[in-house]
PDB file of all heavy atoms in Angstrom:
ATOM      1  N   ASP A 110     -24.154 -33.024   4.001  1.00 99.00           N
ATOM      2  CA  ASP A 110     -24.143 -31.988   5.049  1.00 99.00           C
ATOM      3  C   ASP A 110     -25.427 -32.223   5.844  1.00 99.00           C
ATOM      4  O   ASP A 110     -26.510 -31.791   5.456  1.00 99.00           O
ATOM      5  CB  ASP A 110     -24.113 -30.602   4.379  1.00 99.00           C
ATOM      6  CG  ASP A 110     -23.928 -29.483   5.393  1.00 99.00           C
ATOM      7  OD1 ASP A 110     -23.942 -29.765   6.601  1.00 99.00           O
ATOM      8  OD2 ASP A 110     -23.774 -28.325   4.960  1.00 99.00           O
ATOM      9  N   MET A 111     -25.292 -32.953   6.955  1.00 98.00           N
ATOM     10  CA  MET A 111     -26.464 -33.531   7.617  1.00 98.00           C
ATOM     11  C   MET A 111     -27.339 -32.507   8.337  1.00 98.00           C
ATOM     12  O   MET A 111     -28.543 -32.684   8.456  1.00 98.00           O
ATOM     13  CB  MET A 111     -25.979 -34.587   8.620  1.00 98.00           C
ATOM     14  CG  MET A 111     -27.061 -35.444   9.184  1.00 98.00           C
ATOM     15  SD  MET A 111     -26.466 -36.485  10.504  1.00 98.00           S
ATOM     16  CE  MET A 111     -25.901 -37.909   9.646  1.00 98.00           C
ATOM     17  N   CYS A 112     -26.736 -31.445   8.850  1.00 98.00           N
ATOM     18  CA  CYS A 112     -27.478 -30.421   9.609  1.00 98.00           C
ATOM     19  C   CYS A 112     -27.101 -29.084   8.980  1.00 98.00           C
ATOM     20  O   CYS A 112     -26.247 -28.362   9.489  1.00 98.00           O
ATOM     21  CB  CYS A 112     -27.078 -30.457  11.074  1.00 98.00           C
ATOM     22  SG  CYS A 112     -27.178 -32.101  11.818  1.00 98.00           S
ATOM     23  N   ALA A 113     -27.711 -28.745   7.854  1.00 98.00           N
ATOM     24  CA  ALA A 113     -27.112 -27.750   6.954  1.00 98.00           C
ATOM     25  C   ALA A 113     -27.604 -26.316   7.129  1.00 98.00           C
ATOM     26  O   ALA A 113     -26.898 -25.377   6.764  1.00 98.00           O
ATOM     27  CB  ALA A 113     -27.364 -28.181   5.511  1.00 98.00           C
ATOM     28  N   SER A 114     -28.803 -26.109   7.632  1.00 98.00           N
ATOM     29  CA  SER A 114     -29.370 -24.754   7.627  1.00 98.00           C
ATOM     30  C   SER A 114     -28.714 -23.867   8.698  1.00 98.00           C
ATOM     31  O   SER A 114     -28.417 -24.351   9.789  1.00 98.00           O
ATOM     32  CB  SER A 114     -30.874 -24.840   7.886  1.00 98.00           C
ATOM     33  OG  SER A 114     -31.421 -23.574   7.684  1.00 98.00           O
ATOM     34  N   PRO A 115     -28.419 -22.595   8.402  1.00 98.00           N
ATOM     35  CA  PRO A 115     -28.801 -21.805   7.232  1.00 98.00           C
ATOM     36  C   PRO A 115     -27.878 -21.904   6.034  1.00 98.00           C
ATOM     37  O   PRO A 115     -28.076 -21.182   5.055  1.00 98.00           O
ATOM     38  CB  PRO A 115     -28.799 -20.376   7.777  1.00 98.00           C
ATOM     39  CG  PRO A 115     -27.750 -20.381   8.845  1.00 98.00           C
ATOM     40  CD  PRO A 115     -27.813 -21.753   9.465  1.00 98.00           C
ATOM     41  N   GLY A 116     -26.863 -22.751   6.071  1.00 98.00           N
ATOM     42  CA  GLY A 116     -26.086 -22.993   4.860  1.00 98.00           C
ATOM     43  C   GLY A 116     -24.709 -22.342   4.810  1.00 98.00           C
ATOM     44  O   GLY A 116     -24.073 -22.346   3.761  1.00 98.00           O
ATOM     45  N   GLY A 117     -24.245 -21.811   5.934  1.00 98.00           N
ATOM     46  CA  GLY A 117     -22.897 -21.211   5.957  1.00 98.00           C
ATOM     47  C   GLY A 117     -21.850 -22.201   5.470  1.00 98.00           C
ATOM     48  O   GLY A 117     -21.020 -21.890   4.604  1.00 98.00           O
ATOM     49  N   LYS A 118     -21.932 -23.411   6.017  1.00 98.00           N
ATOM     50  CA  LYS A 118     -20.906 -24.397   5.652  1.00 98.00           C
ATOM     51  C   LYS A 118     -21.216 -25.055   4.310  1.00 98.00           C
ATOM     52  O   LYS A 118     -20.302 -25.419   3.577  1.00 98.00           O
ATOM     53  CB  LYS A 118     -20.744 -25.421   6.781  1.00 98.00           C
ATOM     54  CG  LYS A 118     -20.246 -24.729   8.043  1.00 98.00           C
ATOM     55  CD  LYS A 118     -20.142 -25.601   9.240  1.00 98.00           C
ATOM     56  CE  LYS A 118     -19.924 -24.789  10.501  1.00 98.00           C
ATOM     57  NZ  LYS A 118     -21.109 -24.002  10.952  1.00 98.00           N
ATOM     58  N   ASN A 135     -29.042 -31.240   4.086  1.00 98.00           N
ATOM     59  CA  ASN A 135     -30.217 -31.710   4.823  1.00 98.00           C
ATOM     60  C   ASN A 135     -30.451 -30.888   6.096  1.00 98.00           C
ATOM     61  O   ASN A 135     -29.494 -30.447   6.742  1.00 98.00           O
ATOM     62  CB  ASN A 135     -29.992 -33.176   5.222  1.00 98.00           C
ATOM     63  CG  ASN A 135     -31.136 -33.715   6.050  1.00 98.00           C
ATOM     64  OD1 ASN A 135     -32.224 -33.969   5.517  1.00 98.00           O
ATOM     65  ND2 ASN A 135     -30.927 -33.859   7.354  1.00 98.00           N
ATOM     66  N   ASP A 136     -31.686 -30.699   6.445  1.00 98.00           N
ATOM     67  CA  ASP A 136     -32.024 -30.176   7.782  1.00 98.00           C
ATOM     68  C   ASP A 136     -33.394 -30.701   8.153  1.00 98.00           C
ATOM     69  O   ASP A 136     -34.255 -30.877   7.291  1.00 98.00           O
ATOM     70  CB  ASP A 136     -32.013 -28.638   7.798  1.00 98.00           C
ATOM     71  CG  ASP A 136     -31.771 -28.108   9.211  1.00 98.00           C
ATOM     72  OD1 ASP A 136     -32.741 -28.066  10.005  1.00 98.00           O
ATOM     73  OD2 ASP A 136     -30.624 -27.750   9.537  1.00 98.00           O
ATOM     74  N   VAL A 137     -33.583 -30.942   9.448  1.00 98.00           N
ATOM     75  CA  VAL A 137     -34.846 -31.554   9.865  1.00 98.00           C
ATOM     76  C   VAL A 137     -35.970 -30.528   9.983  1.00 98.00           C
ATOM     77  O   VAL A 137     -37.146 -30.886   9.923  1.00 98.00           O
ATOM     78  CB  VAL A 137     -34.640 -32.311  11.202  1.00 98.00           C
ATOM     79  CG1 VAL A 137     -34.532 -31.353  12.380  1.00 98.00           C
ATOM     80  CG2 VAL A 137     -35.715 -33.342  11.444  1.00 98.00           C
ATOM     81  N   LYS A 138     -35.630 -29.250  10.128  1.00 97.00           N
ATOM     82  CA  LYS A 138     -36.664 -28.269  10.484  1.00 97.00           C
ATOM     83  C   LYS A 138     -37.224 -27.546   9.256  1.00 97.00           C
ATOM     84  O   LYS A 138     -36.488 -26.856   8.554  1.00 97.00           O
ATOM     85  CB  LYS A 138     -36.113 -27.244  11.477  1.00 97.00           C
ATOM     86  CG  LYS A 138     -35.855 -27.878  12.823  1.00 97.00           C
ATOM     87  CD  LYS A 138     -35.694 -26.867  13.926  1.00 97.00           C
ATOM     88  CE  LYS A 138     -35.306 -27.603  15.209  1.00 97.00           C
ATOM     89  NZ  LYS A 138     -34.266 -26.967  15.954  1.00 97.00           N
ATOM     90  N   ARG A 141     -36.536 -23.889   8.699  1.00 96.00           N
ATOM     91  CA  ARG A 141     -35.150 -23.488   8.407  1.00 96.00           C
ATOM     92  C   ARG A 141     -34.731 -23.866   6.982  1.00 96.00           C
ATOM     93  O   ARG A 141     -33.652 -23.509   6.543  1.00 96.00           O
ATOM     94  CB  ARG A 141     -34.193 -24.107   9.444  1.00 96.00           C
ATOM     95  CG  ARG A 141     -34.315 -23.402  10.796  1.00 96.00           C
ATOM     96  CD  ARG A 141     -33.485 -24.044  11.863  1.00 96.00           C
ATOM     97  NE  ARG A 141     -32.052 -24.000  11.647  1.00 96.00           N
ATOM     98  CZ  ARG A 141     -31.252 -23.001  12.049  1.00 96.00           C
ATOM     99  NH1 ARG A 141     -31.752 -21.955  12.679  1.00 96.00           N
ATOM    100  NH2 ARG A 141     -29.953 -23.070  11.826  1.00 96.00           N
ATOM    101  N   LYS A 162     -34.954 -34.246   6.364  1.00 98.00           N
ATOM    102  CA  LYS A 162     -35.054 -35.525   7.078  1.00 98.00           C
ATOM    103  C   LYS A 162     -34.401 -35.372   8.440  1.00 98.00           C
ATOM    104  O   LYS A 162     -33.497 -34.540   8.615  1.00 98.00           O
ATOM    105  CB  LYS A 162     -34.256 -36.617   6.326  1.00 98.00           C
ATOM    106  CG  LYS A 162     -34.815 -36.976   4.973  1.00 98.00           C
ATOM    107  CD  LYS A 162     -35.954 -37.939   5.131  1.00 98.00           C
ATOM    108  CE  LYS A 162     -36.575 -38.320   3.798  1.00 98.00           C
ATOM    109  NZ  LYS A 162     -37.894 -38.910   3.956  1.00 98.00           N
ATOM    110  N   ASP A 163     -34.785 -36.229   9.373  1.00 98.00           N
ATOM    111  CA  ASP A 163     -34.007 -36.359  10.587  1.00 98.00           C
ATOM    112  C   ASP A 163     -32.667 -36.976  10.160  1.00 98.00           C
ATOM    113  O   ASP A 163     -32.648 -37.943   9.383  1.00 98.00           O
ATOM    114  CB  ASP A 163     -34.749 -37.295  11.558  1.00 98.00           C
ATOM    115  CG  ASP A 163     -34.039 -37.367  12.891  1.00 98.00           C
ATOM    116  OD1 ASP A 163     -32.856 -37.764  12.909  1.00 98.00           O
ATOM    117  OD2 ASP A 163     -34.646 -37.018  13.909  1.00 98.00           O
ATOM    118  N   GLY A 164     -31.561 -36.428  10.636  1.00 98.00           N
ATOM    119  CA  GLY A 164     -30.239 -36.894  10.215  1.00 98.00           C
ATOM    120  C   GLY A 164     -30.037 -38.395  10.399  1.00 98.00           C
ATOM    121  O   GLY A 164     -29.276 -39.024   9.660  1.00 98.00           O
ATOM    122  N   ARG A 165     -30.746 -38.985  11.362  1.00 98.00           N
ATOM    123  CA  ARG A 165     -30.577 -40.420  11.629  1.00 98.00           C
ATOM    124  C   ARG A 165     -31.057 -41.281  10.461  1.00 98.00           C
ATOM    125  O   ARG A 165     -30.684 -42.434  10.344  1.00 98.00           O
ATOM    126  CB  ARG A 165     -31.298 -40.800  12.930  1.00 98.00           C
ATOM    127  CG  ARG A 165     -30.618 -40.201  14.142  1.00 98.00           C
ATOM    128  CD  ARG A 165     -31.429 -40.291  15.389  1.00 98.00           C
ATOM    129  NE  ARG A 165     -32.480 -39.281  15.440  1.00 98.00           N
ATOM    130  CZ  ARG A 165     -33.135 -38.917  16.542  1.00 98.00           C
ATOM    131  NH1 ARG A 165     -32.844 -39.487  17.689  1.00 98.00           N
ATOM    132  NH2 ARG A 165     -34.082 -38.001  16.500  1.00 98.00           N
ATOM    133  N   ASP A 180     -22.604 -30.847  11.569  1.00 98.00           N
ATOM    134  CA  ASP A 180     -22.484 -29.608  12.346  1.00 98.00           C
ATOM    135  C   ASP A 180     -23.715 -29.607  13.263  1.00 98.00           C
ATOM    136  O   ASP A 180     -24.740 -29.011  12.947  1.00 98.00           O
ATOM    137  CB  ASP A 180     -22.470 -28.419  11.371  1.00 98.00           C
ATOM    138  CG  ASP A 180     -22.142 -27.115  12.057  1.00 98.00           C
ATOM    139  OD1 ASP A 180     -21.297 -27.119  12.977  1.00 98.00           O
ATOM    140  OD2 ASP A 180     -22.723 -26.083  11.675  1.00 98.00           O
ATOM    141  N   ALA A 181     -23.571 -30.281  14.369  1.00 98.00           N
ATOM    142  CA  ALA A 181     -24.730 -30.768  15.122  1.00 98.00           C
ATOM    143  C   ALA A 181     -25.500 -29.673  15.866  1.00 98.00           C
ATOM    144  O   ALA A 181     -24.921 -28.664  16.280  1.00 98.00           O
ATOM    145  CB  ALA A 181     -24.240 -31.803  16.136  1.00 98.00           C
ATOM    146  N   PRO A 182     -26.814 -29.929  16.061  1.00 98.00           N
ATOM    147  CA  PRO A 182     -27.554 -29.056  16.974  1.00 98.00           C
ATOM    148  C   PRO A 182     -26.909 -29.166  18.356  1.00 98.00           C
ATOM    149  O   PRO A 182     -26.533 -30.269  18.778  1.00 98.00           O
ATOM    150  CB  PRO A 182     -28.968 -29.659  16.977  1.00 98.00           C
ATOM    151  CG  PRO A 182     -28.806 -31.054  16.482  1.00 98.00           C
ATOM    152  CD  PRO A 182     -27.610 -31.066  15.588  1.00 98.00           C
ATOM    153  N   ASN A 185     -25.175 -24.280  22.004  1.00 95.00           N
ATOM    154  CA  ASN A 185     -24.856 -22.942  21.463  1.00 95.00           C
ATOM    155  C   ASN A 185     -24.121 -21.993  22.412  1.00 95.00           C
ATOM    156  O   ASN A 185     -24.310 -20.775  22.332  1.00 95.00           O
ATOM    157  CB  ASN A 185     -26.147 -22.229  21.000  1.00 95.00           C
ATOM    158  CG  ASN A 185     -26.768 -22.898  19.795  1.00 95.00           C
ATOM    159  OD1 ASN A 185     -26.074 -23.255  18.851  1.00 95.00           O
ATOM    160  ND2 ASN A 185     -28.076 -23.081  19.828  1.00 95.00           N
ATOM    161  N   LEU A 210     -28.841 -37.248  21.295  1.00 98.00           N
ATOM    162  CA  LEU A 210     -29.127 -37.064  19.859  1.00 98.00           C
ATOM    163  C   LEU A 210     -27.817 -37.021  19.055  1.00 98.00           C
ATOM    164  O   LEU A 210     -27.698 -37.657  17.996  1.00 98.00           O
ATOM    165  CB  LEU A 210     -29.923 -35.756  19.657  1.00 98.00           C
ATOM    166  CG  LEU A 210     -30.119 -35.303  18.211  1.00 98.00           C
ATOM    167  CD1 LEU A 210     -30.942 -36.325  17.420  1.00 98.00           C
ATOM    168  CD2 LEU A 210     -30.801 -33.927  18.143  1.00 98.00           C
ATOM    169  N   LEU A 214     -26.669 -39.167  15.790  1.00 98.00           N
ATOM    170  CA  LEU A 214     -26.357 -38.526  14.495  1.00 98.00           C
ATOM    171  C   LEU A 214     -24.966 -38.958  14.024  1.00 98.00           C
ATOM    172  O   LEU A 214     -24.750 -39.264  12.846  1.00 98.00           O
ATOM    173  CB  LEU A 214     -26.424 -36.999  14.619  1.00 98.00           C
ATOM    174  CG  LEU A 214     -27.820 -36.397  14.857  1.00 98.00           C
ATOM    175  CD1 LEU A 214     -27.719 -34.880  15.074  1.00 98.00           C
ATOM    176  CD2 LEU A 214     -28.776 -36.698  13.703  1.00 98.00           C
TER     177      LEU A 214
HETATM  178  C1  SAM B   1     -25.563 -25.660  14.221  1.00 84.46           C
HETATM  179  S1  SAM B   1     -26.967 -25.619  13.195  1.00 84.46           S
HETATM  180  C2  SAM B   1     -26.250 -25.878  11.598  1.00 84.46           C
HETATM  181  C3  SAM B   1     -25.560 -24.680  11.013  1.00 84.46           C
HETATM  182  C4  SAM B   1     -25.138 -24.889   9.565  1.00 84.46           C
HETATM  183  N1  SAM B   1     -24.333 -26.088   9.419  1.00 84.46           N
HETATM  184  C5  SAM B   1     -24.386 -23.713   9.003  1.00 84.46           C
HETATM  185  O1  SAM B   1     -23.160 -23.734   8.962  1.00 84.46           O
HETATM  186  O2  SAM B   1     -25.027 -22.745   8.567  1.00 84.46           O
HETATM  187  C6  SAM B   1     -27.694 -27.178  13.517  1.00 84.46           C
HETATM  188  C7  SAM B   1     -28.866 -27.521  12.623  1.00 84.46           C
HETATM  189  O3  SAM B   1     -29.260 -28.863  12.904  1.00 84.46           O
HETATM  190  C8  SAM B   1     -30.640 -28.977  12.642  1.00 84.46           C
HETATM  191  N2  SAM B   1     -31.124 -30.197  13.317  1.00 84.46           N
HETATM  192  C9  SAM B   1     -31.586 -30.348  14.577  1.00 84.46           C
HETATM  193  N3  SAM B   1     -31.907 -31.636  14.798  1.00 84.46           N
HETATM  194  C10 SAM B   1     -31.611 -32.325  13.662  1.00 84.46           C
HETATM  195  C11 SAM B   1     -31.756 -33.683  13.270  1.00 84.46           C
HETATM  196  N4  SAM B   1     -32.224 -34.605  14.112  1.00 84.46           N
HETATM  197  N5  SAM B   1     -31.386 -34.025  12.010  1.00 84.46           N
HETATM  198  C12 SAM B   1     -30.912 -33.093  11.146  1.00 84.46           C
HETATM  199  N6  SAM B   1     -30.771 -31.786  11.469  1.00 84.46           N
HETATM  200  C13 SAM B   1     -31.120 -31.408  12.707  1.00 84.46           C
HETATM  201  C14 SAM B   1     -31.213 -27.675  13.154  1.00 84.46           C
HETATM  202  O4  SAM B   1     -32.452 -27.386  12.543  1.00 84.46           O
HETATM  203  C15 SAM B   1     -30.109 -26.661  12.793  1.00 84.46           C
HETATM  204  O5  SAM B   1     -30.418 -26.025  11.586  1.00 84.46           O
END
Side-chain angles (χ1 to χ4, degrees):
D110 187 354
M111 191 188 272
C112 308
S114 189
K118 297 176 192 71
N135 177 73
D136 204 279
V137 75
K138 291 196 185 137
R141 286 175 64 89
K162 294 279 179 197
D163 185 301
R165 291 168 282 197
D180 189 37
N185 292 316
L210 171 63
L214 292 175

